[in-house]
Amino acid sequence: MNQVANPLHVLGCDVGKDKVVIFDSVTGVIAEVCNTQKALAKAIADCGMKSDSLIVCEATGGFEAPLLAAAATANIPAHRADPRKAAAFIRSLRSHGKTDAIDAEALARYGLERGDRLPRWQLPTKAQSDLAQLVRLRADLVQTHGDYTRRAKAPGRGRSEKHLKATIRVLTTRIAAVEADISEVVLADKQLSQTVDTIQEIQGCGPKTALLLTALLPEIGQLNRKQVAALAGVAPHPRQSGKADGYRRITGGRPAIKRGLFMAAMAARQHNPKLRAFFEHLRAAGKPKLVAMMALARKLVTIANAKVRDAIFAPKSELC
């Protein structure tokens, strides 16, 4: 991920459904702007933002999309902050009070103080966006299909059984239709197709895992091994204070990827000789089974990251 060192001009943006409250760190002016790409683009231009500036907002479930699109169109770097980290920073600045303007000013300060370490948001291509949405939709449909299947098999279903079975048939049809759309999107985009094929070269990573990583971890191949493990939610974090060295826990990251990698790790333990040996070595060293499995999942995503990097993002001269 590209980073801009020490931004001197930051816009802190508190995003709502209908409006965005913007704080300009240079002028100290607070403005309230409609949450549309056109209105936000004008606000960014009026603030005199340059390519070495920074726009900071929180992830809000998609309501930040117009702001990020406006920033990308204007070629202004933006950071979409983790709400938990931003909230902790904001709490550290005040003892009382909460308004949109206060939050916007705090986000601007967050960018000023930590801007050289904050990853810059990258505008996904239409194919990347479509694939991510379809993969998430398929996961939701599969989950619902499983729920209804279990209900249809439970005792005492009575007259509800015919409705449950009808719903299951509809869900089965929709899942197949979504999977067809997923295949169409991947085949139509060279980079997506190459990424999926590259990940599938790893024993233990089947089509579902390859699609999951490609769709929900678009940064794959562009990060170092620690960064990709943290984003995938399989990185252990230290818990040390003084002489105490606590149990390292895996926290954060993207839950859907973590779940998918755990299932892939179970397959790799059975079918990948090198990874099976890695797992058995950890178990022989006294590591609990779950710890060894998560280490195997971490190994999988770092291998996938390296293979995608070498196949797609490495300069051709380095591969010769």
Side-chain angles (χ1 to χ4, degrees):
M1 292 183 204
N2 296 329
Q3 291 188 336
V4 179
N6 301 319
L8 300 177
H9 189 183
V10 178
L11 291 187
C13 302
D14 187 77
V15 178
K17 180 180 179 181
D18 300 314
K19 66 179 182 179
V20 178
V21 177
I22 299 175
F23 177 84
D24 189 325
S25 69
V26 171
T27 64
V29 172
I30 297 175
E32 188 175 293
V33 182
C34 290
N35 192 6
T36 64
Q37 185 173 340
K38 182 178 179 180
L40 291 165
K42 183 179 185 304
I44 291 172
D46 290 344
C47 290
M49 301 291 284
K50 299 179 180 179
S51 59
D52 58 351
S53 305
L54 179 64
I55 295 173
V56 179
C57 67
E58 292 182 82
T60 59
F63 292 124
E64 73 281 5
L67 173 65
L68 294 172
T73 301
N75 197 30
I76 306 298
H79 170 69
R80 183 171 60 181
D82 182 330
R84 292 173 299 177
K85 293 181 179 179
F89 180 83
I90 292 171
R91 283 196 302 270
S92 73
L93 298 178
R94 64 167 185 255
S95 56
H96 303 287
K98 182 188 187 306
T99 66
D100 293 344
I102 290 174
D103 287 350
E105 183 175 356
L107 287 170
R109 184 169 173 181
Y110 183 70
L112 287 171
E113 294 187 11
R114 306 186 181 187
D116 60 336
R117 305 190 300 274
L118 298 177
R120 279 16 181 194
W121 181 82
Q122 296 178 332
L123 181 68
T125 65
K126 186 179 184 304
Q128 288 173 330
S129 180
D130 288 345
L131 180 62
Q133 292 176 20
L134 288 168
V135 167
R136 291 192 182 99
L137 176 58
R138 181 191 176 279
D140 290 342
L141 291 173
V142 169
Q143 176 65 47
T144 305
H145 184 280
D147 293 341
Y148 273 80
T149 300
R150 286 185 288 273
R151 289 179 64 183
K153 293 180 180 179
R157 50 194 178 272
R159 294 185 63 176
S160 69
E161 181 177 5
K162 63 179 181 180
H163 300 293
L164 291 169
K165 289 184 175 179
T167 303
I168 290 169
R169 289 194 294 271
V170 171
L171 288 169
T172 300
T173 301
R174 297 324 307 162
I175 290 170
V178 170
E179 288 176 343
D181 272 357
I182 288 173
S183 297
E184 183 178 331
V185 170
V186 171
L187 291 174
D189 188 276
K190 181 179 179 181
Q191 182 171 314
L192 291 179
S193 180
Q194 192 174 359
T195 301
V196 170
D197 291 343
T198 300
I199 295 173
Q200 285 191 83
E201 293 174 1
I202 306 168
Q203 285 182 292
C205 288
K208 293 179 181 178
T209 302
L211 282 170
L212 183 72
L213 292 178
T214 302
L216 304 187
L217 192 62
E219 303 91 344
I220 194 165
Q222 304 172 71
L223 306 173
N224 62 42
R225 61 186 182 85
K226 292 184 178 180
Q227 290 173 324
V228 77
L231 273 184
V234 292
H237 299 284
R239 297 166 58 88
Q240 187 177 25
S241 179
K243 294 182 179 180
D245 192 359
Y247 186 81
R248 298 191 174 201
R249 297 184 182 277
I250 292 174
T251 59
R254 299 171 185 171
I257 298 176
K258 182 190 297 186
R259 291 191 294 268
L261 283 173
F262 188 83
M263 298 302 294
M266 295 178 66
R269 187 185 66 175
Q270 298 295 324
H271 304 291
N272 190 316
K274 291 184 178 179
L275 293 180
R276 180 168 62 247
F278 172 74
F279 174 83
E280 291 173 352
H281 171 75
L282 292 177
R283 293 288 285 141
K287 298 295 183 183
K289 185 176 181 180
L290 182 59
V291 171
M293 287 299 298
M294 292 310 298
L296 186 54
R298 184 164 59 253
K299 192 82 167 177
L300 272 177
V301 75
T302 54
I303 291 172
N305 184 63
K307 288 180 73 67
V308 172
R309 179 198 62 211
D310 294 343
I312 299 175
F313 297 103
K316 298 303 181 183
S317 59
E318 294 183 7
L319 301 179
C320 297

